[in-house]
Amino acid sequence: QVQLVESGGGLVQAGGSLTLSCAASGRTFSEYIMSWFRQAPGKEREFVAAITWNGLSTHYADSVKGRFTISRVNAKNTVYLLMNNLKPEDTAVYYCAAKRSVGSTLSGEYVYWGQGTQVTVSL
């Protein structure tokens, strides 16, 4: 069992930066693929970024590629999402999620979810 708690959301002006954190409980954090998803009002939850258990491989949605960076520190049971050059369309609730085995961009394949953290980007 893994429990996930996100933090670091807030209000930022367009062009600004934020770093989200996701702290995981449990001794097997390093066994999980970790991902970030986001959900804007009235829209479906969408994939943002994923990172393998050892941090050597990452994958990003086209909409955030080059602006967002996912990373993890297994010794701290934490995964991060550095978001640069934020745009109003990045406004959403951001969730971290965990799954074993093969990575996926499909939210339905993730077993564990955090409660989400709000990111609001103003003009």
Side-chain angles (χ1 to χ4, degrees):
Q1 186 107 9
V2 176
Q3 293 185 331
L4 305 173
V5 179
E6 302 96 335
S7 62
L11 174 64
V12 63
Q13 287 189 325
S17 298
L18 278 177
T19 298
L20 305 183
S21 300
C22 174
S25 66
R27 300 179 181 177
T28 58
F29 174 74
S30 61
E31 297 178 5
Y32 288 86
I33 293 166
M34 299 299 298
S35 293
W36 288 94
F37 287 79
R38 66 186 182 186
Q39 188 166 18
K43 294 188 176 181
E44 293 187 355
R45 192 168 297 189
E46 65 174 0
F47 171 80
V48 175
I51 189 166
T52 53
W53 68 273
N54 56 8
L56 294 182
S57 181
T58 57
H59 181 64
Y60 297 92
D62 287 343
S63 59
V64 306
K65 202 171 292 184
R67 300 188 298 123
F68 290 11
T69 302
I70 188 172
S71 61
R72 66 191 295 165
V73 178
N74 287 343
K76 295 185 177 181
N77 279 14
T78 303
V79 62
Y80 304 95
L81 186 68
L82 169 60
M83 305 184 293
N84 291 323
N85 190 22
L86 282 160
K87 304 175 181 180
E89 51 263 43
D90 294 319
T91 295
V93 177
Y94 283 71
Y95 300 89
C96 67
K99 72 183 299 291
R100 292 181 184 269
S101 189
V102 180
S104 174
T105 62
L106 302 177
S107 60
E109 296 191 7
Y110 285 78
V111 178
Y112 302 107
W113 291 86
Q115 83 290 347
T117 186
Q118 176 71 46
V119 172
T120 302
V121 184
S122 64
L123 289 169

